[in-house]
Amino acid sequence: QVQIVESGGGSVQPGGSLRLSCVASGITFRVTMGWYRQAAGKQRELVALITSPTTTNYADSVKGRFSLSRDGAKNTVYLQMNSLKPEDSAVYYCNLKMFGRDFWGQGTQVSVSS
């Protein structure tokens, strides 16, 4: 059974940084993992995904500011978010894609305001 546990959200001022972590269990090989986000009143959108083996895709809005990395041995992905903006405020969801299915974490809130 796939389980996803997220951590690292919080509140920060504009220009600040946060690091999100996502640990997946119940998987036996490398899968696509990453993060989506959903702001209030908006649709869920892709932030960044890392595929097997090492290709990473970023939303245009976060390129150059966010960095996604993977620790394959730990089935963990990290989203380093720098130069945060108020428009980055959202619930961030860890996503895992396997066998044509999407698996989601419970979400972690990121709030950017002065």
Side-chain angles (χ1 to χ4, degrees):
Q1 182 178 359
V2 174
Q3 291 188 320
I4 296 173
V5 178
E6 304 147 330
S7 61
S11 297
V12 66
Q13 292 185 338
S17 298
L18 286 172
R19 188 192 196 208
L20 306 182
S21 299
C22 170
V23 181
S25 59
I27 59 177
T28 57
F29 55 91
R30 285 200 173 194
V31 296
T32 296
M33 289 184 68
W35 293 88
Y36 287 70
R37 68 187 180 187
Q38 187 167 16
K42 295 187 177 181
Q43 290 188 334
R44 193 171 297 188
E45 63 177 5
L46 170 70
V47 177
L49 283 175
I50 188 165
T51 60
S52 179
T54 57
T55 301
T56 306
N57 298 306
Y58 295 95
D60 288 343
S61 59
V62 306
K63 284 180 180 177
R65 300 188 298 122
F66 291 11
S67 178
L68 183 65
S69 60
R70 182 206 300 255
D71 183 334
K74 299 179 180 178
N75 291 328
T76 301
V77 291
Y78 305 97
L79 183 67
Q80 178 66 44
M81 304 185 294
N82 299 325
S83 302
L84 282 160
K85 305 175 181 180
E87 51 264 43
D88 294 318
S89 297
V91 178
Y92 283 68
Y93 295 92
C94 184
N95 172 264
L96 183 157
K97 301 184 186 296
M98 185 171 67
F99 300 136
R101 290 182 57 188
D102 283 298
F103 298 86
W104 298 96
Q106 78 282 1
T108 184
Q109 178 71 49
V110 171
S111 297
V112 185
S113 68
S114 54

